[in-house]
Amino acid sequence: MRIAKLWCINTGVINYIDLLTEGTINLRNTEKRRLLDSYLKGTRQWLLAGILKFLEDGNATERAIWLRGNAGVGKSVMAAVVADELRARNLLGGTFFCKHDDGQRNSARCLIQTLTFDLSRWNIKFGEQILQIMETNSEIFSRQPSEMFTALIANPLKRLYETKALVRPVVLLVVAIDECGRLDLRADILQVFSELSRSLPNQVKIIVTGRPEPDIVHTFKEVPTRPLEPTEEHNRDDARTFAKHYLSLCNLSEGAKKFGPEVLVNKSAGIFVWLVMACKALQATDGEITLEVIDRLPDGGKLDGSMDTMYNVTFDRIFGNTNNNTSILFRVLVVIVLAYEPLTASAIASLLCASGTEREVLKSIRMLESVLILDGATKKLRLFHKSVKDFLTDPDRCTDPRFAVDLSEQHEAASLLCIWVLDEGLKFNICELPLGPRHKDNPEFSTKVERHLPEQLRYAARHFWEHCCDSVPAKMHLDSNIVHQLSAMLFEHMLHWLEVLSLLDALDIVIPAIRGLLKRFPSQTSQDRSASNEGRIVELLNDMQRVIQLFSIPLRESASQVYLTAVPFSPSNSLFHQHLLGKLDPRILTPRLLPTAGIAREWSACLFTCEAHTDIVHAVAISYDGDRIVSGSSDNTVKICDANTGKEIRTLTGHTDKVLAVAISYDGNRIVSGSCDKTVKIWDANTGKEIRTLTGHTARVNAVAINYGSGRIVSGSSDDTIKIWDENTGEEVRTLTDHLSEVLAVAMNNDGDRIVSGSYDWYIKIWDMNTRKEIRTLTGHTIENRFSFVGEVAISNDGCQILSKSSSGSLLWSVETGEKLDDRPETYKFSTNESSQYTIDDGGWVNEGEALRFWLPPQLRSLHGAYAIADTRIVSFPGPVDRKISP
């Protein structure tokens, strides 16, 4: 009965948890098996003893073990050994292996899903709780990582220990946390440890492995942690055992047998990746290995200069007399180095357009086997250590033209190969599924996807855009050859590409792909766009972004809705509609829909509505790059949302009353908030952690501003004062007290030497930041000959003009003279919280330089809702809770 019940629970959990997690579980198990296969029994005994002692101590103050060490010391193998031992003792609740080249294993959401799955299998009562949670909240796996962790891991474990259903300790193991890739991805995982791990019961322990990188070091300073690091003696003992074993497999002279292991130990300096490379090099040596041969090996000791010699020796042996970098051997190496996910030999051959020459690819792989890992289960290949890629792609370290990899040049070649694969392989209804129904409901779905979507096509669909973007430095434009090939592929196969991504459950990459590609095209006016090939690509990409935002729900459910819904119901004047409707087979559309296809002429001004807050939204700001929205609410929180999708990224909690003001720094790394709790808080935008709280106001804080260059923060309060703060120390620098009533708005110019404030006393004041003295007072906002309060102020980018807004409308002022600019020019440029560089004419059209960007709706030109502008986004909150994003 117990087995039957456990099977039912696990089946339920598997059905509810995203399919991504199942892939992660399989990859995790494969990775663990590989690491265990490379483990030599008798080594790392000190590690097991230290961890078991940690668990036996029962020290409630220490929540985690951090197995730390620089690259190459064997941390991942150690972790696999620990996992195996703890599982044998029934103490291992869950394991997560991070991997830098695998998108399924570098996010907080995947981490939490995987640990939830493991814990459900480990403890039957935990699994029962998870099923109950998911039956009442089926969307829990799409929530914020912090909410997921609390609901799916922390709370269920608390209940188990509180009810005595669980008494023994449980360990959660996270391996190679430093391999989570980008800092923003790693920040989410680190937040789980720094803020949420302390909410776990004392019996729950966490073991983490990773290099001591600054953000990781900072995190583990804040969590009671026991560091565990191999000593020099530990490493020498383990290295000696390792060297003796592997040298025993070689043809050694008597001198090498006697002294060789110790020579290797001295040369390795505890770097196991060097030891592995050295043993592989010796095993590949023909004839008898003498002590002199071993002694000629380059010294180890660190993973940069010293390892470079070893890698040069290794690749010199592999490439031999090859005198150029066009050989199939080099091309295979490049694909493996650049690939964003591991690939099989067959897929590599297909990507290289090497049809019929897979034998040559396999031969090249055999030649490269000393630097590769072949997964026995999936047959996929990857470099055996990240340091190999670091060496090959660094022009200062790798100078041999036979195997040096020029990232820009090779990404360009890879992007063209991927586009070619898509152009050759994409087609309508590629998996031959019925049109209309949910594709996952089809019992043959998985079989058909496997049959009709070969690995190279799946890879190209997911990653062609990344190769395009990485072929040029940030803010530079794509090569004309890529533009030409990309244009042909998109205009012929855009719908087919979206269909494949829907089938692969990968539609989340579309908007990042579009945003990345758009940044690689020059800015153009609307007239230029319609006339040029690049302009038409930009227009089509923008349309596709709107399609995903508008139709993502049906597209995720049914791939055929790309044809049945997205095209006919997109605006009739859009390029997406006009170009693609004619390409559809009329038989796939319901005839009665054809006359009214294109339910609107233009795209709606509202991209989407965010409903992250649970109460009134008082303030919004948008990052300079237009990717992040920050909001403050009466629910006492600050929220960060993705400006491309509207999805909540994280919640900042700490204020004890309504949040009335928010600002974000120019570089996007700092957020400042002001609240009815009379405080100003500074937050790390990447981790969501509070940096410091500024106290000194005696009433609510209505406005905040931050200047990137000066290191100053300004706040305005209902205590009638303006305070200037030092961002780095949190100290109050000066208080300005000349307003007669509540200060409702503050702004700083880009140079950081002028402050502008607006108040309930009707006045606008200009202040000198250096002397902290008032320069002049401006008056002029009136309603029916009565003054009205000033609720918003902004300073132009050149510091010469001020824009102020009140319930009576907006006014433009000269900073130098203080005069109203009644005869203002046709357009004016202004900046709000350093995030905007635009001109707005009297008709409401917003331009960036000479390029027309968007039309500012009338309701956003008045003070009915505050707004922030950056790139091509306006954020407003006309309603009590909703925040709308308009193009």
Side-chain angles (χ1 to χ4, degrees):
M1 180 65 69
R2 176 179 174 84
I3 294 175
K5 187 177 183 183
L6 182 61
W7 171 256
C8 178
I9 288 172
N10 288 335
T11 302
V13 173
I14 291 171
N15 287 339
Y16 271 101
I17 294 180
D18 192 279
L19 289 174
L20 178 64
T21 304
E22 293 188 71
T24 304
I25 298 292
N26 295 331
L27 289 169
R28 185 269 312 278
N29 293 337
T30 301
E31 180 79 358
K32 186 170 74 69
R33 285 194 298 270
R34 181 188 67 78
L35 292 169
L36 285 174
D37 288 343
S38 65
Y39 169 65
L40 183 64
K41 287 187 177 181
T43 59
R44 306 309 189 190
Q45 296 304 303
W46 58 270
L47 171 66
L48 292 172
I51 288 176
L52 292 176
K53 185 177 186 302
F54 169 74
L55 296 175
E56 291 166 2
D57 284 349
N59 189 339
T61 62
E62 291 180 325
R63 309 309 305 275
I65 279 185
W66 177 20
L67 177 57
R68 54 180 287 168
N70 290 318
V73 300
K75 298 183 298 299
S76 294
V77 174
M78 296 185 216
V81 173
V82 169
D84 205 44
E85 179 67 23
L86 293 178
R87 179 171 286 107
R89 295 171 181 258
N90 200 24
L91 295 175
L92 185 66
T95 312
F96 186 76
F97 281 80
C98 305
K99 205 67 183 174
H100 71 279
D101 58 356
D102 191 336
Q104 293 189 25
R105 292 191 284 169
N106 61 11
S107 76
R109 185 165 279 108
C110 286
L111 164 71
I112 296 166
Q113 288 177 336
T114 303
L115 294 181
T116 301
F117 179 88
D118 282 351
L119 285 165
S120 297
R121 293 175 63 91
W122 178 73
N123 184 279
I124 191 170
K125 292 190 178 296
F126 185 95
E128 288 174 345
Q129 289 190 69
I130 298 303
L131 278 182
Q132 290 173 5
I133 291 169
M134 292 187 294
E135 286 169 358
T136 58
N137 185 6
S138 60
E139 297 183 354
I140 185 63
F141 284 103
S142 64
R143 303 301 298 169
Q144 277 293 98
S146 58
E147 186 176 341
M148 285 177 61
F149 185 87
T150 301
L152 296 170
I153 296 179
N155 289 344
L157 285 173
K158 280 182 182 178
R159 284 190 285 269
L160 287 179
Y161 283 108
E162 287 171 356
T163 60
K164 306 298 183 183
L166 186 62
V167 293
R168 65 178 182 271
V170 59
V171 176
L172 304 178
L173 175 63
V174 178
V175 184
I177 196 170
D178 53 289
E179 288 206 26
C180 281
R182 302 195 315 267
L183 287 178
D184 57 337
L185 293 174
R186 194 156 74 203
D188 285 332
I189 291 181
L190 291 177
Q191 183 192 25
V192 168
F193 290 109
S194 63
E195 295 183 13
L196 303 176
S197 63
R198 284 169 286 190
S199 65
L200 292 170
N202 293 334
Q203 297 93 328
V204 182
K205 304 298 183 182
I206 299 173
I207 300 177
V208 180
T209 76
R211 285 179 283 182
E213 297 190 0
D215 56 333
I216 301 175
V217 172
H218 179 74
T219 294
F220 285 106
K221 280 182 179 179
E222 300 187 354
V223 179
T225 303
R226 181 181 297 187
L228 197 58
E229 191 167 10
T231 65
E232 183 178 350
E233 193 56 36
H234 286 149
N235 271 341
R236 287 185 66 85
D237 289 344
D238 289 340
R240 189 176 293 109
T241 303
F242 188 93
K244 285 180 179 179
H245 173 76
Y246 282 97
L247 284 181
S248 70
L249 305 177
C250 299
N251 180 18
L252 301 178
S253 68
E254 288 303 316
K257 289 179 182 177
K258 186 174 182 180
F259 300 108
E262 202 62 31
V263 172
L264 280 181
V265 170
N266 291 333
K267 283 179 170 290
S268 73
I271 303 298
F272 266 76
V273 68
W274 183 94
L275 202 56
V276 172
M277 291 288 294
C279 289
K280 286 185 176 183
L282 291 173
Q283 288 172 350
T285 302
D286 296 327
E288 186 179 64
I289 300 172
T290 65
L291 190 59
E292 288 74 19
V293 171
I294 298 175
D295 202 44
R296 284 198 298 269
L297 290 171
D299 289 342
K302 54 183 180 178
L303 278 173
D304 44 28
S306 302
M307 281 302 298
D308 290 356
T309 307
M310 174 62 80
Y311 285 142
N312 269 311
V313 169
T314 300
F315 283 107
D316 178 67
R317 175 177 56 81
I318 292 171
F319 278 80
N321 296 324
T322 304
N323 56 15
N324 60 64
N325 62 0
T326 61
S327 66
I328 188 69
L329 175 62
F330 177 76
R331 293 168 65 199
V332 168
L333 176 64
V334 167
V335 170
I336 296 171
V337 167
L338 297 189
Y340 295 104
E341 61 182 75
L343 295 166
T344 62
S346 176
I348 292 171
S350 297
L351 285 170
L352 291 175
C353 309
S355 178
T357 60
E358 188 172 336
R359 182 177 300 176
E360 292 184 43
V361 172
L362 291 172
K363 179 181 177 182
S364 298
I365 289 170
R366 284 194 294 271
M367 295 174 68
L368 292 165
E369 64 183 3
S370 62
V371 295
L372 298 180
I373 291 172
L374 174 64
D375 187 306
T378 66
K379 306 302 181 185
K380 292 186 177 183
L381 294 150
R382 59 157 47 100
L383 295 173
F384 93 102
H385 200 271
K386 186 175 179 293
S387 60
V388 181
K389 178 178 180 178
D390 295 339
F391 165 73
L392 291 171
T393 58
D394 188 334
D396 295 326
R397 296 171 59 191
C398 183
T399 57
D400 193 315
R402 292 175 299 169
F403 45 81
V405 177
D406 183 314
L407 282 175
S408 180
E409 176 184 325
Q410 298 304 331
H411 273 300
E412 179 179 335
S415 64
L416 292 173
L417 287 173
C418 286
I419 292 171
W420 177 83
V421 168
L422 294 174
D423 210 34
E424 290 291 310
L426 292 175
K427 63 180 181 178
F428 168 72
N429 196 15
I430 191 169
C431 289
E432 300 176 358
L433 293 165
L435 299 180
R438 293 182 173 88
H439 49 246
K440 289 183 182 178
D441 290 345
N442 190 305
E444 296 183 285
F445 171 69
S446 298
T447 303
K448 289 197 171 191
V449 167
E450 191 67 29
R451 181 191 309 150
H452 295 288
L453 298 183
E455 183 186 359
Q456 66 272 13
L457 183 63
R458 281 178 269 176
Y459 179 86
R462 288 193 186 104
H463 301 295
F464 83 90
W465 65 275
E466 291 179 277
H467 287 297
C468 288
C469 293
D470 287 340
S471 69
V472 292
K475 299 184 179 179
M476 292 191 66
H477 304 148
L478 292 175
D479 179 81
S480 58
N481 191 24
I482 292 181
V483 172
H484 175 73
Q485 299 297 330
L486 181 64
S487 174
M489 189 275 288
L490 286 177
F491 277 94
E492 182 64 28
H493 295 295
M494 174 176 282
L495 295 180
H496 307 146
W497 178 52
L498 292 178
E499 178 192 343
V500 167
L501 292 180
S502 174
L503 294 169
L504 296 176
D505 200 18
L507 285 172
D508 284 342
I509 73 166
V510 175
I511 289 180
I514 292 170
R515 295 281 288 176
L517 290 171
L518 287 175
K519 290 177 181 178
R520 268 70 179 182
F521 284 93
S523 177
Q524 297 176 318
T525 65
S526 57
Q527 184 174 1
D528 291 336
R529 283 185 187 176
S530 61
S532 70
N533 186 40
E534 289 183 343
R536 282 172 57 80
I537 295 177
V538 168
E539 186 176 353
L540 191 62
L541 289 172
N542 279 317
D543 282 352
M544 182 160 41
Q545 181 168 270
R546 300 304 305 276
V547 165
I548 294 299
Q549 290 164 339
L550 186 61
F551 301 115
S552 64
I553 293 176
L555 296 190
R556 291 178 193 280
E557 296 290 324
S558 169
S560 60
Q561 295 304 315
V562 171
Y563 312 101
L564 299 174
T565 297
V567 175
F569 289 97
S570 58
S572 58
N573 284 349
S574 67
L575 180 59
F576 181 87
H577 179 91
Q578 292 178 345
H579 176 74
L580 297 173
L581 185 65
K583 289 182 171 292
L584 295 183
D585 186 331
R587 291 173 297 178
I588 73 171
L589 294 174
T590 305
R592 65 183 178 81
L593 293 179
L594 287 175
T596 58
I599 57 175
R601 292 176 59 84
E602 308 291 346
W603 291 108
S604 167
C606 180
L607 294 178
F608 42 75
T609 299
C610 306
E611 297 181 286
H613 287 291
T614 58
D615 209 331
I616 296 173
V617 178
H618 296 283
V620 288
I622 190 165
S623 62
Y624 179 77
D625 60 10
D627 286 340
R628 295 289 182 265
I629 300 164
V630 180
S631 56
S633 166
S634 282
D635 62 12
N636 303 352
T637 69
V638 176
K639 301 268 188 183
I640 306 174
C641 292
D642 189 317
N644 302 310
T645 65
K647 289 184 178 180
E648 180 184 335
I649 297 172
R650 61 176 52 91
T651 299
L652 315 183
T653 58
H655 282 295
T656 58
D657 208 334
K658 302 172 184 178
V659 180
L660 302 179
V662 292
I664 187 166
S665 63
Y666 178 86
D667 62 0
N669 291 328
R670 292 290 181 267
I671 291 170
V672 180
S673 58
S675 168
C676 284
D677 64 12
K678 308 174 189 177
T679 69
V680 175
K681 289 185 181 289
I682 307 173
W683 313 82
D684 186 315
N686 298 312
T687 65
K689 296 173 63 174
E690 180 183 327
I691 297 174
R692 58 179 53 89
T693 298
L694 315 180
T695 58
H697 283 295
T698 58
R700 67 187 185 191
V701 179
N702 300 310
V704 291
I706 180 171
N707 182 270
Y708 177 68
S710 67
R712 292 290 186 261
I713 291 170
V714 175
S715 58
S717 169
S718 290
D719 63 10
D720 306 348
T721 70
I722 298 165
K723 290 187 181 289
I724 304 171
W725 313 83
D726 187 304
E727 177 193 348
N728 299 313
T729 65
E731 295 179 357
E732 181 181 324
V733 177
R734 182 66 61 89
T735 298
L736 311 178
T737 59
D738 287 359
H739 275 296
L740 304 176
S741 188
E742 300 177 40
V743 179
L744 303 177
V746 293
M748 278 188 285
N749 66 350
N750 290 339
D751 293 333
D753 59 1
R754 291 289 183 272
I755 299 172
V756 176
S757 57
S759 169
Y760 213 90
D761 63 10
W762 318 326
Y763 298 138
I764 301 161
K765 291 184 181 289
I766 306 173
W767 312 80
D768 187 307
M769 176 73 88
N770 299 316
T771 64
R772 284 84 173 184
K773 293 183 178 179
E774 179 186 336
I775 298 174
R776 61 176 49 88
T777 297
L778 313 178
T779 60
H781 283 284
T782 60
I783 298 179
E784 297 179 353
N785 297 321
R786 298 179 61 185
F787 288 108
S788 61
F789 65 85
V790 180
E792 293 288 334
V793 292
I795 307 176
S796 63
N797 292 317
D798 59 11
C800 296
Q801 297 173 339
I802 295 169
L803 178 69
S804 61
K805 298 171 71 67
S806 77
S807 53
S808 65
S810 62
L811 293 173
L812 194 67
W813 310 81
S814 167
V815 172
E816 183 178 357
T817 65
E819 296 177 349
K820 282 190 288 186
L821 301 177
D822 294 325
D823 298 324
R824 62 191 184 191
E826 180 182 358
T827 64
Y828 55 90
K829 184 180 286 188
F830 69 92
S831 168
T832 304
N833 289 337
E834 301 181 285
S835 299
S836 316
Q837 295 183 13
Y838 294 88
T839 58
I840 302 180
D841 63 27
D842 287 338
W845 288 102
V846 180
N847 306 264
E848 182 183 20
E850 299 296 321
L852 187 67
R853 285 300 192 193
F854 53 83
W855 179 70
L856 187 62
Q859 65 269 27
L860 295 180
R861 295 179 229 157
S862 67
L863 196 63
H864 296 313
Y867 60 86
I869 300 178
D871 191 19
T872 56
R873 300 288 185 274
I874 299 173
V875 183
S876 67
F877 50 94
V881 178
D882 293 348
R883 290 179 289 113
K884 297 183 183 293
I885 305 176
S886 305

